[in-house]
Amino acid sequence: IVLTQSPATLSLSPGERATLSCRASQSVGSFLAWYQQKPGQVPRLLIYHASTRATGIPDRFSGSGSGTDFTLTITSLEPEDSAVYYCQERSKRLFGGGSKVEIK
Amino acid sequence: QVQLVESGGGLVKPGGSLRLSCSVSRFIFSDYYMAWIRQAPGKGLEWVSMISSSGDTLYYTDSVRGRFTISRDNMEKSMSLQMNSLRAEDTALYYCARGNGFGGNEYFDYWGQGIQVTVSS
């Protein structure tokens, strides 16, 4: 299984919506997670089972998709959302290459 | 608050060995799969190894199988990664992480701060 994330980098203004994609080379069902890693920080689990927010994650973060195509949406971006976002499938524990979100 | 603390990193020559440890607190260690995940400088995340809650099932990524050995001590609430025959490409920040899933199909819900491993002559 290979996870391909796009875009590599996204540059948006505060208040805008970010849409990140993760495509799997074969179906992973709904077993996909999203992580956020801010500069110099430890990765944090955001979303699991494709659409379930982890504890304490704001509702501006949402996940969708199943099979091979998944999306992480961040509505109304805030400056602290500047980070790299990774997807991960759980059967082989594989990570995607990451998408960087920059806030203008 | 769940805590995971790594130790044992450092600088080692190619072909050398290093043992990483992860001590945990504030959760029932024996209930969870545990994993090592690494991040090379400026690169993404790479899952390295995982161990079942009882310690009887071990998982490795292909690039470390045969060189790294994962283990755990549920009484001591700790996990280790013995790394032998180290290569320059093993240079990375190594994270200890708690699995949250079922039967080896895991997400990782808590992470340590990471420990640096540098392989260089």
Side-chain angles (χ1 to χ4, degrees), chain A residues 17-81:
Chain A
R17 171 191 293 251
T19 303
L20 307 180
S21 172
C22 177
R23 178 162 290 177
S25 58
Q26 62 188 74
S27 177
V28 298
S30 294
F31 300 123
L32 189 105
W34 291 92
Y35 298 82
Q36 176 194 62
Q37 187 177 33
K38 298 180 181 181
Q41 294 191 19
V42 175
R44 177 173 71 151
L45 178 65
L46 293 177
I47 302 283
Y48 62 95
H49 289 341
S51 61
T52 303
R53 273 188 299 276
T55 304
I57 301 304
D59 59 8
R60 66 178 183 276
F61 292 92
S62 64
S64 63
S66 65
T68 60
D69 290 296
F70 299 86
T71 300
L72 175 68
T73 301
I74 313 170
T75 57
S76 192
L77 277 165
E78 298 189 5
E80 62 262 31
D81 297 334

Side-chain angles (χ1 to χ4, degrees), chain A residues 30-33 35 37 41-45 47-50 86 88-97, chain B residues 37 39 43-47 50 59-61 95 100-102 104-114:
Chain A
S30 294
F31 300 123
L32 189 105
Y35 298 82
Q37 187 177 33
Q41 294 191 19
V42 175
R44 177 173 71 151
L45 178 65
I47 302 283
Y48 62 95
H49 289 341
Y86 296 94
Q88 179 236 331
E89 66 79 33
R90 72 173 199 176
S91 68
K92 301 294 184 187
R93 285 79 57 189
L94 296 173
F95 289 89
Chain B
I37 297 161
Q39 187 167 34
K43 301 296 184 183
L45 301 171
E46 180 188 24
W47 169 79
M50 187 170 72
Y59 306 78
Y60 299 98
T61 193
Y95 293 103
N100 196 327
F102 180 77
N105 299 295
E106 308 291 321
Y107 306 119
F108 303 105
D109 59 356
Y110 287 95
W111 300 56
Q113 289 298 310

Side-chain angles (χ1 to χ4, degrees), chain B residues 24 27-33 52-54 72 74-75 77:
Chain B
V24 312
F27 67 95
I28 302 174
F29 183 64
S30 57
D31 282 353
Y32 292 88
Y33 281 56
S52 64
S53 54
S54 64
R72 67 189 293 161
N74 283 347
M75 294 297 292
K77 296 197 284 187

